């Protein structure tokens, strides 16, 4: 069997048929589809069973909620395919995705590709998200400076990275945030070369109306955890300390500014937002970052937060969002 396609599922009943059918309708047919129902409280399990009754390639796992890492790990442990691919339960892949990935498998054990956005009606929105790289060092450098290549769902990986032949990689179940980034870092410690398909094969769903009611003050601890992990474990050949520090500073700005924007988006009173801002600025990485003119927009957001100019930050966010 060539591919094991692993889908972690939690309360995505509305989107799950589109996800499952995007795999079943692939032009390349040699795969198994592992659906891991991770304690869903909606009808997701019933949807999984309905499709499994009609197609023997589908394996359904029903487990108590172990979050995203635990669900993916359950799929990894059952996988029989030569290569593993991950799809989130509310996303999908293009019809020829497996065919195009399969064309690269004879060349490499790690195949990367790109994504595009779809809306709640399964319609394409916006441009494809593509950042071409030509070799493993370029891939690592981009990963050090941003989260773009960190997603589990834009890479296909050989089973040898999971079954002990090369490594015994699993998703870190100690964190519920950015587990993809840690997983990717673990892979890049072992990967010798990569093949990149310069095309969007993954369909990432952009949901509407997902306004957060509360900000989890523990989230920044998870941010600190994965930044520490990447900084300590990612090995890049032919890079000096100055350039490495500059690239990692970009990652700090990206992560911290993302958290600032998340707080601005909160459906909460000003007092609650201000407290969330203050908690964030106490983090060690928030204190360590430096302005980077090559990353101007996010650097401005970050510096407003670092100087504790929260009122201006919220005002700027409000006017830019209309």
């Amino acid at each position: 069997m060539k591919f094991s396609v692993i889908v972690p599922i939690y309360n995505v009943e509305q989107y799950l048929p589109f996800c499952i059918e995007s795999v079943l309708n692939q032009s390349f047919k040699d795969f198994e589809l592992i659906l891991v129902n991770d304690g869903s409280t909606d009808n997701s399990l019933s949807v999984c069973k309905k499709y499994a009754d009609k197609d023997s390639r589908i394996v359904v796992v029903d487990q108590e909620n172990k979050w995203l890492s635990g669900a993916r790990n359950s799929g990894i442990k059952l996988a029989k395919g030569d290569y593993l691919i991950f799809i989130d339960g509310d996303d999908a892949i293009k019809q020829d995705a497996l065919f195009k990935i399969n064309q690269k498998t004879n060349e490499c054990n790690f195949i990367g590709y790109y994504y595009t956005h779809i809306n709640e009606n399964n319609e394409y929105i916006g441009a494809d998200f593509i950042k071409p790289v030509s070799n493993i060092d370029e891939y690592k450098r981009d990963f050090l400076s941003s989260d773009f290549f960190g997603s589990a769902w834009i890479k296909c990986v050989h089973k040898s990275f999971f079954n002990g032949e090369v490594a015994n990689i699993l998703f870190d179940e100690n964190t519920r945030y950015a587990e993809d980034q840690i997983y990717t870092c673990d892979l890049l410690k072992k990967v010798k070369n990569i093949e990149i398909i310069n095309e969007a094969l993954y369909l990432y769903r952009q949901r509407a109306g997902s306004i957060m009611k509360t900000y989890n003050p523990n989230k920044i601890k998870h941010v600190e955890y994965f930044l520490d992990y990447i900084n300590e474990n990612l090995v890049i050949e032919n890079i000096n300390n100055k350039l490495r520090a500059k690239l990692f500073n970009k990652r700090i700005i990206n992560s911290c500014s993302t958290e600032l924007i998340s707080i601005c988006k909160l459906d909460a009173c000003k007092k609650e937002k201000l407290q969330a801002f203050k908690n964030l600025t106490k983090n060690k990485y928030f204190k360590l970052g430096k302005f980077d003119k090559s990353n101007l927009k996010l650097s401005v957001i970050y510096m407003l937060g670092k100087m504790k100019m929260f009122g201006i930050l919220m005002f700027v966010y409000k006017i830019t969002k209309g």
Side-chain angles (χ1 to χ4, degrees):
M1 185 182 301
K2 195 58 177 283
F3 296 111
S4 289
V5 182
I6 299 169
V7 182
I9 297 161
Y10 181 75
N11 289 351
V12 287
E13 171 190 359
Q14 176 183 351
Y15 310 106
L16 193 50
F18 184 72
C19 173
I20 293 173
E21 289 174 17
S22 77
V23 180
L24 297 182
N25 293 331
Q26 287 293 302
S27 57
F28 184 88
K29 304 296 185 181
D30 186 17
F31 63 83
E32 65 175 350
L33 175 58
I34 303 175
L35 305 175
V36 184
N37 180 56
D38 192 46
S40 296
T41 57
D42 65 0
N43 291 316
S44 292
L45 179 58
S46 296
V47 174
C48 293
K49 290 180 176 179
K50 172 186 172 184
Y51 280 96
D53 288 341
K54 298 178 181 179
D55 197 312
S56 61
R57 294 174 296 178
I58 297 177
V59 177
V60 177
V61 179
D62 183 30
Q63 65 183 34
E64 63 181 21
N65 184 246
K66 296 182 180 179
W67 294 80
L68 188 56
S69 290
R72 286 174 173 162
N73 287 342
S74 294
I76 290 172
K77 292 170 184 177
L78 289 174
K80 298 177 181 178
D82 294 329
Y83 287 82
L84 277 62
I85 293 173
F86 298 97
I87 307 174
D88 285 355
D90 53 349
D91 297 336
I93 53 175
K94 290 185 177 179
Q95 187 175 7
D96 57 354
L98 295 186
F99 173 78
K100 292 183 176 181
I101 295 170
N102 182 60
Q103 290 181 313
K104 294 289 186 178
T105 55
N106 289 331
E107 303 172 33
C108 190
N109 286 338
F110 183 105
I111 300 100
Y113 39 93
Y114 299 99
Y115 72 99
T116 192
H117 277 143
I118 57 174
N119 62 19
E120 298 203 38
N121 297 318
N122 306 326
E123 300 166 331
Y124 292 96
I125 52 174
D128 294 350
F129 289 78
I130 295 177
K131 294 173 68 174
V133 296
S134 59
N135 57 57
I136 186 65
D137 278 351
E138 284 185 18
Y139 194 97
K140 287 181 177 181
R141 291 185 187 199
D142 195 284
F143 174 70
L144 180 64
S145 66
S146 76
D147 62 2
F148 184 86
F149 285 121
S151 298
W153 33 259
I154 53 171
K155 50 181 70 78
C156 170
V157 185
H158 193 265
K159 64 181 179 182
S160 58
F161 290 92
F162 306 97
N163 66 8
E165 292 178 28
V166 174
N168 284 297
I169 293 175
L170 291 172
F171 286 85
D172 189 339
E173 297 187 27
N174 293 317
T175 182
R176 296 176 179 176
Y177 179 77
E179 65 287 322
D180 289 27
Q181 306 296 320
I182 296 171
Y183 162 76
T184 299
C185 187
D186 285 341
L187 283 173
L188 293 179
K189 286 191 291 183
K190 299 293 183 178
V191 169
K192 302 300 183 184
N193 56 74
I194 61 172
E195 282 290 331
I196 299 292
I197 302 170
N198 289 312
E199 184 178 346
L201 301 180
Y202 191 89
L203 306 179
Y204 179 80
R205 189 178 304 279
Q206 188 77 47
R207 296 202 211 179
S210 56
I211 298 176
M212 294 187 299
K213 299 294 183 183
T214 59
Y215 181 79
N216 183 355
N218 292 319
K219 186 179 178 184
I220 192 62
K221 294 180 181 178
H222 293 286
V223 174
E224 183 176 319
Y225 176 68
F226 87 77
L227 287 176
D228 277 342
Y229 195 88
I230 291 170
N231 194 34
E232 293 169 6
N233 289 278
L234 184 65
V235 177
I236 305 176
E237 302 293 336
N238 304 316
I239 186 172
N240 59 47
N241 291 337
K242 184 178 180 179
L243 177 56
R244 184 185 177 97
K246 182 178 180 179
L247 294 175
F248 189 62
N249 183 64
K250 288 180 182 288
R251 170 70 86 138
I252 292 173
I253 292 172
N254 286 337
S255 297
C256 291
S257 59
T258 296
E259 294 309 301
L260 288 168
I261 294 169
S262 294
I263 295 171
C264 288
K265 290 180 178 180
L266 285 177
D267 182 18
C269 68
K270 183 177 180 181
K271 182 178 180 180
E272 290 174 316
K273 289 185 178 183
L274 288 175
Q275 187 58 54
F277 282 130
K278 290 177 182 178
N279 291 338
L280 178 61
T281 57
K282 295 175 183 177
N283 177 264
K284 74 172 184 180
Y285 281 112
F286 206 96
K287 297 174 182 178
L288 284 174
K290 299 177 182 179
F291 185 86
D292 182 352
K293 63 181 180 181
S294 69
N295 203 13
L296 187 58
K297 181 179 178 180
L298 293 183
S299 284
V300 169
I301 293 171
Y302 168 69
M303 293 306 297
L304 286 173
K306 191 168 185 177
M307 293 186 290
K308 299 185 179 180
M309 301 174 72
F310 306 132
I312 295 176
L313 181 62
M314 288 189 285
F315 176 74
V316 171
Y317 175 79
K318 184 177 181 180
I319 63 174
T320 56
K321 294 300 178 182

